[in-house]
Amino acid sequence: MNNIVILPILIPFIIGAILILFAKKHTVQRVISGVTAIGMLVISIYLAIYVYQNGITTLELGNWSAPFGIVLVADMFATLMLVLSSIVGVVCLFFAYQTISSEREKYYFYPFYFFLLTGVNGAFLTGDLFNLFVFFEVMLISSYVLIVMGGTKYQLRESVKYVVINVFASALFIIAIAYIYAVTGTFNMAHIAERVAELEQTGILNVIAVLLFIVFAMKGALFPLYFWLPRSYYGPPAAIAALFGGLLTKVGIYAIIRSFTLIFIHDPTFTHKGIIATIAGLTMFFGVLGAVSQFDFKRILSYHIISQVGYMVMGLGIYTRLAIAGAIFYIAHHIIVKSALFLFAGATQRITGTTDLKQMGGLLKTHPYLAWMFLIGALSLAGIPPLSGFFSKFPIILSGFEEGQYVISGVALLVGLLTLFSMIKIFNYAFWGEPKHTEEQANFPVGKLLLPIVPLVALTIILGFAAEPVFQYSLQIADQIMDPSIYIESVLKE
């Protein structure tokens, strides 16, 4: 059964390579891609259930035992992320069928789509710090191709910042890995955690912790390293923007949570309650200010990615069982809702031909299903009960007040209010009022566009009404990742 752990990495990699051979046969590519994406979702769900019932599952590649060989580790946190990755992968792929142009399709859209999922899934499953770097690079190289696909001047200009910041982050990542290897003599994350617990060199460990935090903060778009994101995510087609907005920054956040619950737990007053909590508050505040100041549909959503990842990091900064569980719940909520909102932006753009809110209006009269479904996603993002946004934010903010973190908790409440303001602004400008679009646009059929988004909207409702069992699952994940000995013993077989 352990061999199933490698399938979420192996399948998209092999299929991506096969799809290159059918670059000019779009129908064949779509059939293969769709079947594969659904198959990956089924495998991810099965793996999550298996790990939930049987505990952490590891696979030692080539039968080289840890810490000497490469190890894949599927714990509850990793398998949850795999399921979320697969859901977004399926939905964005089927939305792309309706919206992606043949010009983009023929330039290897589908192969690089699956190569990106290979990197994302590998980052979730790897138990080795160097291989985390490798999977980051697989993900990023694929994203470089997808983000410029179509080759518009805007895409090419803005993606330069995206490439440069990530190349710099990758170089810094290698430096951080070299430092931690010099101190611990190993790349295996469980072994590093074991060695760090034995060391008394708090100073050098704090330096390495901050260095790795900077690397992951660049990839997760935390303050002040988020400047590349809003304009970079504005250029690509909606399906790609939704995939990036839903998944890519969460890989950085996953790496931060994994590192600072497994390895760097020697000085939480300095790392968690000091640096991480402060950065979380600043990220939330400046991200939402950017959203409030915009009058473009996609740019508002892009800035909200920044403000919302602040909540996830806030949970880690507070560093209690309740806060970590809330952060995990919030990651699940945000991946689902943010992907849906970007797809809604793509649907409205197909109807009106623009994302400028001042040129839009009256979509509620001509496309009511689109409007009301968007409103559900918007209210969920803002944290309005009984949707998933409320029940995922509540434990994080409650933990903040319980731990005496009044400033950041107050910022979190303010950010929620400003998020609601900016999302209602989109609704008022784009959907309310008199129609500003032509009769032909008013009759544009959106049923096929909405069909892939329906599962995401349904999920945010389900996660809200089933908040109790979902949060209990999040608490179990928090218990598992906050006790490093469970992970270490499972990997090193102690």
Side-chain angles (χ1 to χ4, degrees):
M1 282 304 302
N2 290 25
N3 290 329
I4 197 174
V5 176
I6 201 172
L7 292 183
I9 302 171
L10 198 60
I11 290 174
F13 177 75
I14 293 173
I15 295 299
I18 291 172
L19 288 172
I20 293 175
L21 305 176
F22 299 97
K24 295 182 180 179
K25 298 180 180 179
H26 297 166
T27 303
V28 174
Q29 287 196 93
R30 290 185 175 196
V31 171
I32 294 173
S33 299
V35 171
T36 303
I38 293 171
M40 287 173 59
L41 176 59
V42 172
I43 290 169
S44 298
I45 293 172
Y46 178 78
L47 182 58
I49 294 170
Y50 181 82
V51 169
Y52 178 74
Q53 293 176 341
N54 298 280
I56 297 176
T57 304
T58 63
L59 176 62
E60 297 172 340
L61 300 183
N63 286 328
W64 283 82
S65 60
F68 308 106
I70 297 171
V71 181
L72 300 179
V73 186
D75 65 352
M76 291 175 66
F77 188 24
T79 52
L80 171 65
M81 298 301 290
L82 284 177
V83 171
L84 295 168
S85 166
S86 299
I87 291 171
V88 173
V90 170
V91 169
C92 292
L93 183 67
F94 279 85
F95 189 86
Y97 290 165
Q98 311 298 327
T99 57
I100 205 79
S101 66
S102 58
E103 284 298 308
R104 288 185 166 104
E105 275 188 313
K106 72 180 182 182
Y107 289 113
Y108 305 100
F109 168 76
Y110 297 107
F112 280 101
Y113 190 95
F114 282 98
F115 289 148
L116 183 137
L117 291 178
T118 301
V120 170
N121 292 346
F124 294 149
L125 287 172
T126 185
D128 183 282
L129 200 58
F130 184 80
N131 280 287
L132 179 62
F133 165 79
V134 171
F135 284 120
F136 263 85
E137 291 308 296
V138 172
M139 176 186 75
L140 289 171
I141 291 169
S142 304
S143 72
Y144 298 156
V145 177
L146 292 174
I147 205 168
V148 300
M149 193 162 282
T152 65
K153 289 183 179 179
Y154 182 91
Q155 280 179 279
L156 295 173
R157 184 178 71 246
E158 294 303 324
S159 61
V160 169
K161 288 184 288 187
Y162 176 78
V163 173
V164 169
I165 190 71
N166 279 293
V167 168
F168 178 74
S170 297
L172 206 58
F173 198 175
I174 284 290
I175 293 170
I177 290 172
Y179 272 125
I180 202 163
Y181 184 79
V183 172
T184 64
T186 182
F187 291 130
N188 184 281
M189 288 194 281
H191 202 209
I192 292 171
E194 191 177 57
R195 291 282 178 88
V196 165
E198 297 168 354
L199 292 171
E200 297 180 357
Q201 300 174 340
T202 305
I204 187 64
L205 290 174
N206 283 343
V207 170
I208 297 170
V210 171
L211 198 57
L212 270 177
F213 180 75
I214 292 171
V215 171
F216 298 142
M218 287 183 186
K219 299 179 187 298
L222 299 181
F223 176 89
L225 305 168
Y226 60 77
F227 60 87
W228 55 270
L229 187 147
R231 297 179 70 87
S232 296
Y233 282 18
Y234 176 79
I240 297 174
L243 184 69
F244 284 16
L247 273 187
L248 292 201
T249 51
K250 311 314 173 299
V251 180
I253 301 304
Y254 170 86
I256 290 173
I257 294 175
R258 178 68 75 193
S259 301
F260 286 86
T261 55
L262 175 64
I263 300 171
F264 302 111
I265 57 173
H266 57 282
D267 190 6
T269 303
F270 173 75
T271 53
H272 296 68
K273 301 181 185 298
I275 293 175
I276 294 176
T278 302
I279 294 297
L282 293 170
T283 301
M284 286 189 289
F285 182 70
F286 284 101
V288 82
L289 285 186
V292 168
S293 66
Q294 297 295 316
F295 278 87
D296 184 277
F297 202 146
K298 287 176 73 174
R299 284 191 177 140
I300 291 174
L301 297 181
S302 296
Y303 274 102
H304 275 312
I305 295 173
I306 299 163
S307 67
Q308 303 299 308
V309 296
Y311 283 101
M312 306 166 200
V313 182
M314 175 184 169
L316 177 62
I318 296 169
Y319 199 54
T320 63
R321 175 176 179 260
L322 183 63
I324 295 290
I328 291 164
F329 193 170
Y330 198 85
I331 289 172
H333 145 77
H334 189 262
I335 288 175
I336 291 165
V337 172
K338 181 57 69 175
S339 300
L341 290 173
F342 267 106
L343 295 180
F344 282 128
T348 57
Q349 188 176 11
R350 285 297 297 272
I351 297 167
T352 63
T354 182
T355 56
D356 185 347
L357 294 179
K358 294 181 179 179
Q359 297 179 29
M360 301 165 73
L363 285 170
L364 179 61
K365 292 184 178 179
T366 58
H367 299 85
Y369 292 112
L370 171 64
W372 294 122
M373 285 172 63
F374 166 80
L375 185 63
I376 292 171
L379 294 178
S380 182
L381 188 74
I384 303 300
L387 301 168
S388 61
F390 173 79
F391 293 105
S392 54
K393 280 182 185 177
F394 181 73
I396 300 173
I397 297 173
L398 177 64
S399 299
F401 282 114
E402 288 180 348
E403 294 297 306
Q405 299 270 17
Y406 301 116
V407 174
I408 192 173
S409 300
V411 169
L413 291 172
L414 175 63
V415 169
L417 184 63
L418 293 176
T419 301
L420 178 62
F421 170 79
S422 59
M423 298 311 291
I424 292 300
K425 179 170 70 174
I426 293 176
F427 189 79
N428 283 341
Y429 274 88
F431 298 99
W432 203 254
E434 293 301 316
K436 294 183 180 180
H437 41 282
T438 65
E439 186 175 342
E440 182 182 354
Q441 291 172 326
N443 294 323
F444 184 89
V446 292
K448 290 183 179 179
L449 293 178
L450 294 180
L451 197 59
I453 317 176
V454 169
L456 298 180
V457 177
L459 275 173
T460 189
I461 297 172
I462 293 168
L463 289 176
F465 282 95
E468 174 65 22
V470 173
F471 190 67
Q472 288 300 321
Y473 183 69
S474 300
L475 282 171
Q476 290 181 45
I477 296 176
D479 288 335
Q480 190 177 77
I481 66 175
M482 289 191 73
D483 184 357
S485 64
I486 300 174
Y487 186 99
I488 293 169
E489 291 168 8
S490 299
V491 175
L492 301 180
K493 304 294 191 295
E494 293 182 348

